[in-house]
Each structure stands twice: as structure tokens, then as C-alpha cells.
Amino acid sequence: MDQAQTTTTSAAELTSKKPLLISGPCSAETEEQLLDTCNQLAQTGRVDMLRAGIWKPRTKPGGFEGIGTKGLPWLQKAREQTGLPVMVEVATPKHVEDSLAFEMDVLWIGARTTVNPFSVQAVADALRGTDVPVFIKNPINPDVELWAGAVERLAKAGVKKIGLIHRGFSSYGNTEYRNAPLWQLPIEMKRRMPELPLICDPSHICGRRDLLADVAQKAIDLDFDGLMLESHRDPDQAWSDAAQQVTPTNLVALLDSLIWRHETTDKQEFLTVLAKLRDQINHIDDEIMQLISSRMAVAEKIGTYKKENDITILQPNRWNEILDRGVQKGAKLGLTKDFILKYFDAIHLESINRQNRVMNPHDDVK
């Protein structure tokens, strides 16, 4: 018991370490497979915490859905042999109960659970009165409010140590990644909750080991607090998610390929130049907002003119003309089509709102 208590304390401290590196197999398959993989990872000297899936929610029935509770003693043994804290995913109150009974150091809530407020609340209630650190993966759909809501539910249950895991988002027709990164969403969570550690799970974003380094580097460049990378002693023979796992040896090679950057520096020359460039951005942003305000004033005049002549707000042909012109102009200026379309979509919605207020003062378009 003393050893477990010591490890738990170090695990709580580790959740604030930067960079925090978590690794282990997608699933605990057999005791021998888990212990061999974990010992190899510990021997690299690069891993701070071990992970393994005990209960595995699968999209369809019939696949390997995890070894279940009998795998928890294996993780205990991995901790004893390596001296590293261990973490598991929980999705139900029973998972929490079993994990606490076997003294798991850290828990995480998976994306398929985060998406359901009832499930999150049930897990939060089961955690009430405990001091185990809990990480929360983003929901499978791109909804920042659901992610933030899960944090709030755990906090209200008294969980003191909470972290975030970015594992990407499901999107129809997405082919490059298993789960689209949508980096703006974890960035928004970091803006809202800067006190919470945010780590990236490139394994579930990529779904393929050949993409892991690029995504991991992007996360580091965005000042994420760590990485969770799946590792298996023989990835191609893994019982789940074989394509996204790497051997412990290849994990080290991946980590060595990354450029670990700093959030800031005390070099005065850098700080001076950066301050000047940021000041330029501030001035440009002010000019952009002034121009957008002027554009909206013109849109309101158009709305008044349409109202006087009984003309509809939406003009599809004109809208297509604006988009085509914007994309062509943007390409010449080095702006991507995706950015131009998102920009004009926001501009168009605000213009419609302005014109609708002119025509129907008490009925804003949402």
C-alpha cells in the first residue's frame, strides 16, 4: 500500500510536468504482452506514465472490446516493475470503482463518453470524494461546449486534478486522418482553461504511424503540454488499432525527431522584434475591424433599399459571385480557399443579420 500511495502522489505531480509523455499499448491483451511492452518503454527513459486500454468501446459489436477488470492487476504489476504510474480509460461508474480498487494512478474519460453528458455525470458522481487525477478527451464530434461541460461536471464533483487530451474529431469523408485534428478547438479550450494541462494524442488523430511525427510536432509547436502515443512490442499483431501503434524503439526515434520549442525566451533581441511585429498585427487588426464595420454599414443600406423595393435578403447569384471573386483574389494573395470560404461565410451571416434587422427589427437571424 505504501508503494501505491507514493506512486499516486508522483502521478498527481506528473500531471503538471511539461512535456508529459504517456505511452503504452492501445489494449492490454495478455499479462505477458503488457508487461513486456511496459518494461521496454520504461527502459527507454523517455516515458513518464504508462497507459493501456482495459475496456475498449468499439464502433460495432464482435471486435475485441478489452480484457476487462482482470487486466487491472497486470497494470499494477507493470507499475511495480517499472516504477511508473499507470492510467486507464473509464466510461462507467463500475469502471471507476474497479480502477480505484486496483489503485490506478490516473484515469481518462474517452471521446465516446465525453460526448454524452449523462455518462460524464455518472462518472463524475462515482469520482466524488476521490483525489485521483482525471484527463478528459475531446468528444468525438467537434463541440467545445461538450468538452468544457465535462470539465465542469468533474470539477463540481470535487475532482481537483483535471487535464485535457486532444485526440481529434470524427468527420464524414475525412481521409487523411482517422480523426480530423481541427486544431482551433483545442486552442479554444486552452484559451478558456489555461490552467489545465493539454496533451495531444497523435495516435488516434492519425490512425497511421507514418503521420504521427508531423502531428506530434504540430502539437509541440502549438505549446501543448505533452503527448500520448500508443506503443506495442509487436504493433502489427496488436488486437486493436494496429496501424497507429509503434514499437518502443520506434517511439524513441519519433521523439528524437521532434523539435522541442519553448513558449518564450529571455533573449532581449527576440522579445523586442516580437513586440514590434505584434504591434503591427494589432494595427492591422484594428484596420480590418474598421473596414468590416464599414462593409456592414453598406450592407445595412442595401437592406434598406431592398426593403423599400420588396426584394428578398438572400441573393444566391450575388453570393456565388462574391465567393468566386474572393477565392480567385485570395489565391493571388497567398490565402487558402478554405480560409476564404470560412471568412466570407462569417461575413455573409453577419450581413444577413444586419439586413434582417432592417427589414424585421424584432427578429434577428441566429
Side-chain angles (χ1 to χ4, degrees), residues 24-25 32-42 231-233 248:
E32 194 265 340
Q33 164 261 352
L34 179 65
L35 293 178
D36 186 20
T37 301
C38 289
N39 277 291
Q40 287 188 46
L41 288 169
S231 181
H232 189 290
R233 63 176 183 175

Side-chain angles (χ1 to χ4, degrees), residues 110-142:
R112 297 172 189 266
T113 305
T114 308
V115 78
N116 187 334
F118 291 110
S119 297
V120 174
Q121 188 61 57
V123 170
D125 291 340
L127 287 165
R128 198 177 300 276
T130 70
D131 60 358
V132 63
V134 182
F135 279 82
I136 305 173
K137 287 194 173 185
N138 62 257
I140 55 176
N141 59 307

Side-chain angles (χ1 to χ4, degrees), residues 22-28 49-57 75 86-92 95-96 99 104-114 123 127 132-138 154 161-167 199 201 204 228-230:
I22 302 169
S23 189
C26 174
S27 301
M49 196 177 302
L50 299 169
R51 57 138 290 154
I54 296 297
W55 303 278
K56 300 296 297 180
L75 277 168
V86 292
M87 67 186 300
V88 295
E89 176 181 348
V90 294
T92 70
H95 292 170
V96 174
S99 297
M104 296 296 101
D105 299 300
V106 180
L107 308 178
W108 85 81
I109 296 176
R112 297 172 189 266
T113 305
T114 308
V123 170
L127 287 165
V132 63
V134 182
F135 279 82
I136 305 173
K137 287 194 173 185
N138 62 257
L154 262 64
K161 278 282 188 178
I162 300 175
L164 304 171
I165 302 176
H166 170 226
R167 52 80 76 192
I199 66 174
D201 176 357
H204 279 88
M228 176 188 278
L229 290 157
E230 291 185 347

